[in-house]
Amino acid sequence: MENKKEKCDSMSSGGVTRSKRDLPPMHYTLKIESFSLLLKTKVEKYESDVFEAGGYKWRLCLYPNGNTKGKGKGFVSLYLQIENTSNLRHRWEVTTEFKLFVRDHINDKYLTVRESDASVKRFHEMKTEWGFDQLLSLETFNDASKGYLFNDGCVFGAEIFVIKPTGKGELLSMVKKPANGSLTWKIKDFSKLDRKSHLSKAFTAGGRSWRIDVSPEGYGEGKGNSLSVFLELVGGCKLPPKKTVWAEYKLRVLNQSHDNHVEKTSNHIVSRWFTSSSHTRGFHKFMPLGDLRDVSKGYVGNDTLIVEAEILTLSVSKLFS
């Protein structure tokens, strides 16, 4: 089965694009029989019945011999008009994308007329009607070989897509040195800790909780030879799929005898993105266990190790409505 496509010969002129498609108008069809008799009434315009689309009321306004008050001389003019506006709120506004149609009976297709740039149109108190002065030239419309006027009958139509902003959005901020973005953790009785990882108390920065994760005997490639130190995004495993949090950070072990602290910064881009599957970032080989155990080095004093975490830059996203 072939898919029906909104395609055929397409052309643009005067900011208007005309193309043909198989599908009839989605929202409203205006069929006129004995079109020649309608013209004999010398009616300037015909207004259709009211129909609903997108939660609003509309009608079509047809000028069979063109809207001479505009630029419709020598053309069929067709417009979309919003109705029942007295029921709308004060200073109402309705934003739409719409298309108007004329049926080609011979090819069983619909001439589709729209703005070339697919621009939206705003209906409001001062502008309740939009459309086309020059929907189709009368010469083309009256040419029986074109199929628009067939057995003295014709069909017009409309599709209206109302754009309703939800007002919802997201604000992403890159915050440098966020408030309360650091923690100093004094790990007492360090020599008595078992080999598993140990977690600090949490601190809050950028609306999220963080903590330090230390493995005294190393973790992964650092196991048995290095102290491993990480920064953990608390509850990061519950982040929505594809949700990421950026954090540029420093981790350090303080030297309690000298000033030569061991400090490492998240230098790799990948190591700065926290996700549901990678919510703990840091260093497997933060520093050699030999240096840590050598009392003369000064990293452990009174059996206390001091570890710090500092967040340098943090992404903060907030939803609004």
Side-chain angles (χ1 to χ4, degrees), residues 16-57:
V16 176
T17 294
R18 295 172 176 83
S19 59
K20 289 186 179 180
R21 77 181 201 186
D22 299 324
L23 296 175
M26 180 182 296
H27 294 120
Y28 196 72
T29 299
L30 171 62
K31 298 181 179 180
I32 301 175
E33 296 178 342
S34 303
F35 187 75
S36 61
L37 295 180
L38 176 65
L39 293 181
K40 287 182 179 180
T41 66
K42 307 248 182 235
V43 64
E44 179 186 9
K45 72 174 179 178
Y46 176 80
E47 297 183 340
S48 76
D49 199 359
V50 174
F51 62 95
E52 183 174 341
Y56 296 91
K57 303 291 186 180

mmCIF file of all heavy atoms in Angstrom, residues 16-57:
data_model
loop_
_atom_site.group_PDB
_atom_site.id
_atom_site.type_symbol
_atom_site.label_atom_id
_atom_site.label_comp_id
_atom_site.label_asym_id
_atom_site.label_seq_id
_atom_site.Cartn_x
_atom_site.Cartn_y
_atom_site.Cartn_z
ATOM 1 N N VAL A 16 3.093 32.969 -1.003
ATOM 2 C CA VAL A 16 2.094 31.912 -0.872
ATOM 3 C C VAL A 16 2.566 30.670 -1.622
ATOM 4 O O VAL A 16 3.073 30.767 -2.737
ATOM 5 C CB VAL A 16 0.738 32.372 -1.440
ATOM 6 C CG1 VAL A 16 -0.278 31.236 -1.386
ATOM 7 C CG2 VAL A 16 0.220 33.583 -0.672
ATOM 8 N N THR A 17 2.421 29.527 -1.003
ATOM 9 C CA THR A 17 2.780 28.251 -1.632
ATOM 10 C C THR A 17 1.519 27.474 -1.964
ATOM 11 O O THR A 17 0.611 27.356 -1.132
ATOM 12 C CB THR A 17 3.680 27.414 -0.699
ATOM 13 O OG1 THR A 17 4.925 28.089 -0.524
ATOM 14 C CG2 THR A 17 3.954 26.032 -1.290
ATOM 15 N N ARG A 18 1.485 26.944 -3.177
ATOM 16 C CA ARG A 18 0.359 26.117 -3.615
ATOM 17 C C ARG A 18 0.879 24.742 -3.987
ATOM 18 O O ARG A 18 1.823 24.628 -4.765
ATOM 19 C CB ARG A 18 -0.346 26.767 -4.809
ATOM 20 C CG ARG A 18 -1.019 28.092 -4.474
ATOM 21 C CD ARG A 18 -1.535 28.788 -5.717
ATOM 22 N NE ARG A 18 -2.266 30.010 -5.378
ATOM 23 C CZ ARG A 18 -1.688 31.180 -5.143
ATOM 24 N NH1 ARG A 18 -0.358 31.285 -5.222
ATOM 25 N NH2 ARG A 18 -2.416 32.234 -4.837
ATOM 26 N N SER A 19 0.292 23.723 -3.434
ATOM 27 C CA SER A 19 0.661 22.348 -3.747
ATOM 28 C C SER A 19 -0.609 21.509 -3.759
ATOM 29 O O SER A 19 -1.683 21.993 -3.388
ATOM 30 C CB SER A 19 1.666 21.806 -2.723
ATOM 31 O OG SER A 19 1.121 21.846 -1.420
ATOM 32 N N LYS A 20 -0.496 20.265 -4.202
ATOM 33 C CA LYS A 20 -1.671 19.396 -4.232
ATOM 34 C C LYS A 20 -1.424 18.147 -3.389
ATOM 35 O O LYS A 20 -0.298 17.661 -3.298
ATOM 36 C CB LYS A 20 -2.021 19.007 -5.671
ATOM 37 C CG LYS A 20 -2.599 20.168 -6.476
ATOM 38 C CD LYS A 20 -3.081 19.715 -7.843
ATOM 39 C CE LYS A 20 -3.677 20.885 -8.619
ATOM 40 N NZ LYS A 20 -4.160 20.454 -9.961
ATOM 41 N N ARG A 21 -2.498 17.658 -2.804
ATOM 42 C CA ARG A 21 -2.401 16.434 -1.998
ATOM 43 C C ARG A 21 -3.666 15.603 -2.175
ATOM 44 O O ARG A 21 -4.690 16.087 -2.680
ATOM 45 C CB ARG A 21 -2.174 16.776 -0.537
ATOM 46 C CG ARG A 21 -3.412 17.251 0.197
ATOM 47 C CD ARG A 21 -3.096 17.589 1.637
ATOM 48 N NE ARG A 21 -4.298 17.572 2.461
ATOM 49 C CZ ARG A 21 -4.329 17.942 3.735
ATOM 50 N NH1 ARG A 21 -3.222 18.358 4.332
ATOM 51 N NH2 ARG A 21 -5.454 17.881 4.428
ATOM 52 N N ASP A 22 -3.591 14.363 -1.723
ATOM 53 C CA ASP A 22 -4.716 13.436 -1.846
ATOM 54 C C ASP A 22 -5.760 13.628 -0.749
ATOM 55 O O ASP A 22 -6.958 13.486 -0.990
ATOM 56 C CB ASP A 22 -4.221 11.987 -1.804
ATOM 57 C CG ASP A 22 -3.264 11.669 -2.945
ATOM 58 O OD1 ASP A 22 -3.483 12.196 -4.051
ATOM 59 O OD2 ASP A 22 -2.309 10.905 -2.728
ATOM 60 N N LEU A 23 -5.283 13.913 0.462
ATOM 61 C CA LEU A 23 -6.184 13.946 1.614
ATOM 62 C C LEU A 23 -7.073 15.181 1.603
ATOM 63 O O LEU A 23 -6.610 16.290 1.316
ATOM 64 C CB LEU A 23 -5.379 13.915 2.914
ATOM 65 C CG LEU A 23 -4.557 12.653 3.168
ATOM 66 C CD1 LEU A 23 -3.716 12.813 4.419
ATOM 67 C CD2 LEU A 23 -5.473 11.442 3.293
ATOM 68 N N PRO A 24 -8.345 15.027 1.945
ATOM 69 C CA PRO A 24 -9.244 16.187 2.037
ATOM 70 C C PRO A 24 -8.923 17.020 3.282
ATOM 71 O O PRO A 24 -8.190 16.564 4.166
ATOM 72 C CB PRO A 24 -10.635 15.542 2.150
ATOM 73 C CG PRO A 24 -10.375 14.213 2.765
ATOM 74 C CD PRO A 24 -9.043 13.755 2.232
ATOM 75 N N PRO A 25 -9.463 18.220 3.369
ATOM 76 C CA PRO A 25 -9.233 19.062 4.550
ATOM 77 C C PRO A 25 -9.679 18.355 5.832
ATOM 78 O O PRO A 25 -10.713 17.674 5.847
ATOM 79 C CB PRO A 25 -10.083 20.306 4.272
ATOM 80 C CG PRO A 25 -10.259 20.325 2.791
ATOM 81 C CD PRO A 25 -10.299 18.893 2.364
ATOM 82 N N MET A 26 -8.925 18.537 6.864
ATOM 83 C CA MET A 26 -9.200 17.821 8.104
ATOM 84 C C MET A 26 -10.398 18.390 8.859
ATOM 85 O O MET A 26 -11.179 17.644 9.459
ATOM 86 C CB MET A 26 -7.958 17.862 9.007
ATOM 87 C CG MET A 26 -8.124 17.151 10.340
ATOM 88 S SD MET A 26 -6.642 17.285 11.370
ATOM 89 C CE MET A 26 -5.462 16.381 10.373
ATOM 90 N N HIS A 27 -10.578 19.722 8.837
ATOM 91 C CA HIS A 27 -11.526 20.321 9.766
ATOM 92 C C HIS A 27 -12.838 20.794 9.155
ATOM 93 O O HIS A 27 -13.876 20.754 9.829
ATOM 94 C CB HIS A 27 -10.859 21.491 10.503
ATOM 95 C CG HIS A 27 -9.746 21.059 11.392
ATOM 96 N ND1 HIS A 27 -8.446 21.492 11.251
ATOM 97 C CD2 HIS A 27 -9.721 20.184 12.429
ATOM 98 C CE1 HIS A 27 -7.682 20.922 12.156
ATOM 99 N NE2 HIS A 27 -8.424 20.118 12.873
ATOM 100 N N TYR A 28 -12.817 21.266 7.917
ATOM 101 C CA TYR A 28 -14.082 21.766 7.372
ATOM 102 C C TYR A 28 -14.043 21.759 5.858
ATOM 103 O O TYR A 28 -13.018 22.062 5.239
ATOM 104 C CB TYR A 28 -14.353 23.194 7.858
ATOM 105 C CG TYR A 28 -15.789 23.628 7.651
ATOM 106 C CD1 TYR A 28 -16.812 23.099 8.423
ATOM 107 C CD2 TYR A 28 -16.124 24.566 6.676
ATOM 108 C CE1 TYR A 28 -18.135 23.493 8.242
ATOM 109 C CE2 TYR A 28 -17.445 24.970 6.483
ATOM 110 C CZ TYR A 28 -18.445 24.430 7.270
ATOM 111 O OH TYR A 28 -19.746 24.812 7.095
ATOM 112 N N THR A 29 -15.207 21.425 5.265
ATOM 113 C CA THR A 29 -15.359 21.424 3.811
ATOM 114 C C THR A 29 -16.612 22.210 3.450
ATOM 115 O O THR A 29 -17.688 21.978 4.026
ATOM 116 C CB THR A 29 -15.479 19.983 3.271
ATOM 117 O OG1 THR A 29 -14.296 19.245 3.597
ATOM 118 C CG2 THR A 29 -15.642 20.000 1.761
ATOM 119 N N LEU A 30 -16.465 23.115 2.505
ATOM 120 C CA LEU A 30 -17.583 23.912 2.006
ATOM 121 C C LEU A 30 -17.836 23.523 0.549
ATOM 122 O O LEU A 30 -17.031 23.823 -0.332
ATOM 123 C CB LEU A 30 -17.253 25.407 2.102
ATOM 124 C CG LEU A 30 -18.225 26.380 1.415
ATOM 125 C CD1 LEU A 30 -19.619 26.281 2.043
ATOM 126 C CD2 LEU A 30 -17.692 27.802 1.486
ATOM 127 N N LYS A 31 -18.956 22.817 0.317
ATOM 128 C CA LYS A 31 -19.307 22.376 -1.031
ATOM 129 C C LYS A 31 -20.382 23.299 -1.596
ATOM 130 O O LYS A 31 -21.378 23.587 -0.925
ATOM 131 C CB LYS A 31 -19.820 20.936 -1.014
ATOM 132 C CG LYS A 31 -18.796 19.923 -0.529
ATOM 133 C CD LYS A 31 -19.361 18.507 -0.562
ATOM 134 C CE LYS A 31 -18.332 17.480 -0.107
ATOM 135 N NZ LYS A 31 -18.867 16.087 -0.131
ATOM 136 N N ILE A 32 -20.188 23.762 -2.807
ATOM 137 C CA ILE A 32 -21.139 24.662 -3.443
ATOM 138 C C ILE A 32 -21.620 24.044 -4.753
ATOM 139 O O ILE A 32 -20.813 23.691 -5.617
ATOM 140 C CB ILE A 32 -20.508 26.040 -3.729
ATOM 141 C CG1 ILE A 32 -20.012 26.676 -2.426
ATOM 142 C CG2 ILE A 32 -21.511 26.962 -4.421
ATOM 143 C CD1 ILE A 32 -19.278 27.981 -2.614
ATOM 144 N N GLU A 33 -22.921 23.887 -4.869
ATOM 145 C CA GLU A 33 -23.526 23.413 -6.109
ATOM 146 C C GLU A 33 -24.164 24.606 -6.836
ATOM 147 O O GLU A 33 -24.512 25.610 -6.218
ATOM 148 C CB GLU A 33 -24.580 22.345 -5.817
ATOM 149 C CG GLU A 33 -24.006 21.086 -5.180
ATOM 150 C CD GLU A 33 -25.076 20.058 -4.846
ATOM 151 O OE1 GLU A 33 -26.271 20.449 -4.788
ATOM 152 O OE2 GLU A 33 -24.726 18.878 -4.650
ATOM 153 N N SER A 34 -24.325 24.485 -8.155
ATOM 154 C CA SER A 34 -24.895 25.577 -8.960
ATOM 155 C C SER A 34 -24.174 26.886 -8.675
ATOM 156 O O SER A 34 -24.775 27.914 -8.331
ATOM 157 C CB SER A 34 -26.401 25.722 -8.678
ATOM 158 O OG SER A 34 -27.085 24.509 -8.942
ATOM 159 N N PHE A 35 -22.878 26.836 -8.813
ATOM 160 C CA PHE A 35 -22.039 27.996 -8.514
ATOM 161 C C PHE A 35 -22.427 29.192 -9.398
ATOM 162 O O PHE A 35 -22.391 30.348 -8.946
ATOM 163 C CB PHE A 35 -20.567 27.623 -8.728
ATOM 164 C CG PHE A 35 -19.603 28.687 -8.301
ATOM 165 C CD1 PHE A 35 -19.344 28.909 -6.966
ATOM 166 C CD2 PHE A 35 -18.960 29.477 -9.249
ATOM 167 C CE1 PHE A 35 -18.441 29.891 -6.563
ATOM 168 C CE2 PHE A 35 -18.063 30.465 -8.863
ATOM 169 C CZ PHE A 35 -17.802 30.670 -7.522
ATOM 170 N N SER A 36 -22.804 28.929 -10.628
ATOM 171 C CA SER A 36 -23.169 30.026 -11.546
ATOM 172 C C SER A 36 -24.371 30.798 -11.024
ATOM 173 O O SER A 36 -24.469 32.022 -11.200
ATOM 174 C CB SER A 36 -23.439 29.481 -12.949
ATOM 175 O OG SER A 36 -24.517 28.554 -12.926
ATOM 176 N N LEU A 37 -25.320 30.093 -10.377
ATOM 177 C CA LEU A 37 -26.480 30.778 -9.813
ATOM 178 C C LEU A 37 -26.092 31.646 -8.620
ATOM 179 O O LEU A 37 -26.687 32.709 -8.398
ATOM 180 C CB LEU A 37 -27.545 29.755 -9.403
ATOM 181 C CG LEU A 37 -28.184 28.951 -10.544
ATOM 182 C CD1 LEU A 37 -29.226 27.985 -9.988
ATOM 183 C CD2 LEU A 37 -28.824 29.894 -11.579
ATOM 184 N N LEU A 38 -25.115 31.181 -7.871
ATOM 185 C CA LEU A 38 -24.616 31.991 -6.761
ATOM 186 C C LEU A 38 -24.051 33.307 -7.279
ATOM 187 O O LEU A 38 -24.286 34.375 -6.700
ATOM 188 C CB LEU A 38 -23.552 31.216 -5.973
ATOM 189 C CG LEU A 38 -22.867 31.988 -4.825
ATOM 190 C CD1 LEU A 38 -23.887 32.314 -3.726
ATOM 191 C CD2 LEU A 38 -21.718 31.172 -4.241
ATOM 192 N N LEU A 39 -23.317 33.235 -8.389
ATOM 193 C CA LEU A 39 -22.736 34.447 -8.961
ATOM 194 C C LEU A 39 -23.813 35.416 -9.433
ATOM 195 O O LEU A 39 -23.651 36.641 -9.341
ATOM 196 C CB LEU A 39 -21.818 34.083 -10.126
ATOM 197 C CG LEU A 39 -20.532 33.302 -9.773
ATOM 198 C CD1 LEU A 39 -19.729 33.038 -11.034
ATOM 199 C CD2 LEU A 39 -19.698 34.066 -8.753
ATOM 200 N N LYS A 40 -24.938 34.884 -9.952
ATOM 201 C CA LYS A 40 -25.999 35.741 -10.463
ATOM 202 C C LYS A 40 -26.667 36.545 -9.360
ATOM 203 O O LYS A 40 -27.316 37.560 -9.616
ATOM 204 C CB LYS A 40 -27.036 34.895 -11.198
ATOM 205 C CG LYS A 40 -26.559 34.389 -12.551
ATOM 206 C CD LYS A 40 -27.650 33.596 -13.256
ATOM 207 C CE LYS A 40 -27.164 33.114 -14.628
ATOM 208 N NZ LYS A 40 -28.210 32.343 -15.341
ATOM 209 N N THR A 41 -26.500 36.091 -8.115
ATOM 210 C CA THR A 41 -27.077 36.854 -7.003
ATOM 211 C C THR A 41 -26.275 38.107 -6.718
ATOM 212 O O THR A 41 -26.694 38.937 -5.913
ATOM 213 C CB THR A 41 -27.102 35.996 -5.717
ATOM 214 O OG1 THR A 41 -25.754 35.736 -5.300
ATOM 215 C CG2 THR A 41 -27.829 34.692 -5.945
ATOM 216 N N LYS A 42 -25.106 38.208 -7.389
ATOM 217 C CA LYS A 42 -24.195 39.343 -7.202
ATOM 218 C C LYS A 42 -23.718 39.455 -5.753
ATOM 219 O O LYS A 42 -23.395 40.541 -5.271
ATOM 220 C CB LYS A 42 -24.867 40.645 -7.630
ATOM 221 C CG LYS A 42 -25.445 40.631 -9.019
ATOM 222 C CD LYS A 42 -24.690 41.549 -9.910
ATOM 223 C CE LYS A 42 -25.352 41.534 -11.307
ATOM 224 N NZ LYS A 42 -24.390 41.193 -12.321
ATOM 225 N N VAL A 43 -23.715 38.325 -5.051
ATOM 226 C CA VAL A 43 -23.244 38.324 -3.667
ATOM 227 C C VAL A 43 -21.756 38.664 -3.645
ATOM 228 O O VAL A 43 -20.977 38.160 -4.455
ATOM 229 C CB VAL A 43 -23.514 36.951 -2.998
ATOM 230 C CG1 VAL A 43 -22.723 35.849 -3.682
ATOM 231 C CG2 VAL A 43 -23.157 36.998 -1.523
ATOM 232 N N GLU A 44 -21.385 39.566 -2.742
ATOM 233 C CA GLU A 44 -19.980 39.948 -2.643
ATOM 234 C C GLU A 44 -19.185 38.856 -1.942
ATOM 235 O O GLU A 44 -18.078 38.505 -2.369
ATOM 236 C CB GLU A 44 -19.829 41.267 -1.877
ATOM 237 C CG GLU A 44 -18.379 41.711 -1.720
ATOM 238 C CD GLU A 44 -18.233 42.934 -0.840
ATOM 239 O OE1 GLU A 44 -19.224 43.357 -0.212
ATOM 240 O OE2 GLU A 44 -17.110 43.469 -0.753
ATOM 241 N N LYS A 45 -19.760 38.334 -0.858
ATOM 242 C CA LYS A 45 -19.081 37.254 -0.134
ATOM 243 C C LYS A 45 -20.102 36.307 0.456
ATOM 244 O O LYS A 45 -21.247 36.683 0.711
ATOM 245 C CB LYS A 45 -18.165 37.797 0.967
ATOM 246 C CG LYS A 45 -18.884 38.380 2.174
ATOM 247 C CD LYS A 45 -17.882 38.753 3.260
ATOM 248 C CE LYS A 45 -18.591 39.371 4.466
ATOM 249 N NZ LYS A 45 -17.640 39.701 5.554
ATOM 250 N N TYR A 46 -19.677 35.078 0.637
ATOM 251 C CA TYR A 46 -20.511 34.071 1.287
ATOM 252 C C TYR A 46 -19.775 33.593 2.529
ATOM 253 O O TYR A 46 -18.590 33.226 2.475
ATOM 254 C CB TYR A 46 -20.782 32.887 0.362
ATOM 255 C CG TYR A 46 -21.563 31.789 1.051
ATOM 256 C CD1 TYR A 46 -22.944 31.898 1.202
ATOM 257 C CD2 TYR A 46 -20.913 30.677 1.596
ATOM 258 C CE1 TYR A 46 -23.664 30.916 1.868
ATOM 259 C CE2 TYR A 46 -21.624 29.697 2.261
ATOM 260 C CZ TYR A 46 -22.998 29.824 2.403
ATOM 261 O OH TYR A 46 -23.712 28.864 3.076
ATOM 262 N N GLU A 47 -20.480 33.579 3.649
ATOM 263 C CA GLU A 47 -19.899 33.121 4.911
ATOM 264 C C GLU A 47 -20.465 31.749 5.254
ATOM 265 O O GLU A 47 -21.684 31.556 5.268
ATOM 266 C CB GLU A 47 -20.200 34.109 6.035
ATOM 267 C CG GLU A 47 -19.576 35.475 5.811
ATOM 268 C CD GLU A 47 -19.808 36.429 6.968
ATOM 269 O OE1 GLU A 47 -20.752 36.189 7.755
ATOM 270 O OE2 GLU A 47 -19.047 37.390 7.091
ATOM 271 N N SER A 48 -19.570 30.819 5.528
ATOM 272 C CA SER A 48 -19.999 29.451 5.854
ATOM 273 C C SER A 48 -20.619 29.398 7.239
ATOM 274 O O SER A 48 -20.598 30.381 7.994
ATOM 275 C CB SER A 48 -18.792 28.515 5.803
ATOM 276 O OG SER A 48 -17.983 28.694 6.964
ATOM 277 N N ASP A 49 -21.132 28.230 7.556
ATOM 278 C CA ASP A 49 -21.599 27.988 8.917
ATOM 279 C C ASP A 49 -20.387 27.951 9.842
ATOM 280 O O ASP A 49 -19.237 27.825 9.408
ATOM 281 C CB ASP A 49 -22.368 26.662 8.963
ATOM 282 C CG ASP A 49 -23.256 26.560 10.193
ATOM 283 O OD1 ASP A 49 -23.263 27.508 11.013
ATOM 284 O OD2 ASP A 49 -23.941 25.531 10.340
ATOM 285 N N VAL A 50 -20.633 28.058 11.126
ATOM 286 C CA VAL A 50 -19.552 28.019 12.123
ATOM 287 C C VAL A 50 -19.139 26.574 12.367
ATOM 288 O O VAL A 50 -19.984 25.674 12.428
ATOM 289 C CB VAL A 50 -20.010 28.675 13.437
ATOM 290 C CG1 VAL A 50 -18.946 28.501 14.526
ATOM 291 C CG2 VAL A 50 -20.292 30.154 13.222
ATOM 292 N N PHE A 51 -17.841 26.340 12.481
ATOM 293 C CA PHE A 51 -17.322 25.010 12.817
ATOM 294 C C PHE A 51 -16.248 25.156 13.888
ATOM 295 O O PHE A 51 -15.741 26.246 14.147
ATOM 296 C CB PHE A 51 -16.763 24.305 11.578
ATOM 297 C CG PHE A 51 -15.590 25.003 10.928
ATOM 298 C CD1 PHE A 51 -14.277 24.645 11.231
ATOM 299 C CD2 PHE A 51 -15.796 26.026 10.009
ATOM 300 C CE1 PHE A 51 -13.200 25.275 10.633
ATOM 301 C CE2 PHE A 51 -14.729 26.665 9.391
ATOM 302 C CZ PHE A 51 -13.427 26.294 9.704
ATOM 303 N N GLU A 52 -15.909 24.037 14.512
ATOM 304 C CA GLU A 52 -14.938 24.058 15.611
ATOM 305 C C GLU A 52 -13.647 23.370 15.201
ATOM 306 O O GLU A 52 -13.655 22.340 14.532
ATOM 307 C CB GLU A 52 -15.510 23.374 16.856
ATOM 308 C CG GLU A 52 -14.564 23.424 18.063
ATOM 309 C CD GLU A 52 -15.187 22.873 19.342
ATOM 310 O OE1 GLU A 52 -16.437 22.791 19.399
ATOM 311 O OE2 GLU A 52 -14.433 22.526 20.257
ATOM 312 N N ALA A 53 -12.540 23.941 15.624
ATOM 313 C CA ALA A 53 -11.215 23.328 15.427
ATOM 314 C C ALA A 53 -10.280 23.893 16.483
ATOM 315 O O ALA A 53 -10.250 25.106 16.707
ATOM 316 C CB ALA A 53 -10.670 23.619 14.039
ATOM 317 N N GLY A 54 -9.562 23.000 17.150
ATOM 318 C CA GLY A 54 -8.587 23.442 18.151
ATOM 319 C C GLY A 54 -9.201 24.117 19.352
ATOM 320 O O GLY A 54 -8.525 24.887 20.050
ATOM 321 N N GLY A 55 -10.487 23.856 19.602
ATOM 322 C CA GLY A 55 -11.137 24.444 20.772
ATOM 323 C C GLY A 55 -11.726 25.820 20.517
ATOM 324 O O GLY A 55 -12.199 26.470 21.465
ATOM 325 N N TYR A 56 -11.722 26.271 19.275
ATOM 326 C CA TYR A 56 -12.275 27.587 18.940
ATOM 327 C C TYR A 56 -13.285 27.455 17.795
ATOM 328 O O TYR A 56 -13.310 26.455 17.078
ATOM 329 C CB TYR A 56 -11.149 28.554 18.545
ATOM 330 C CG TYR A 56 -10.196 28.843 19.684
ATOM 331 C CD1 TYR A 56 -9.058 28.052 19.877
ATOM 332 C CD2 TYR A 56 -10.434 29.882 20.578
ATOM 333 C CE1 TYR A 56 -8.190 28.308 20.926
ATOM 334 C CE2 TYR A 56 -9.568 30.141 21.623
ATOM 335 C CZ TYR A 56 -8.451 29.353 21.803
ATOM 336 O OH TYR A 56 -7.596 29.599 22.843
ATOM 337 N N LYS A 57 -14.103 28.494 17.629
ATOM 338 C CA LYS A 57 -15.109 28.527 16.584
ATOM 339 C C LYS A 57 -14.595 29.342 15.400
ATOM 340 O O LYS A 57 -13.997 30.411 15.577
ATOM 341 C CB LYS A 57 -16.411 29.149 17.103
ATOM 342 C CG LYS A 57 -16.997 28.448 18.326
ATOM 343 C CD LYS A 57 -17.519 27.053 17.989
ATOM 344 C CE LYS A 57 -18.239 26.447 19.208
ATOM 345 N NZ LYS A 57 -18.760 25.105 18.927
#
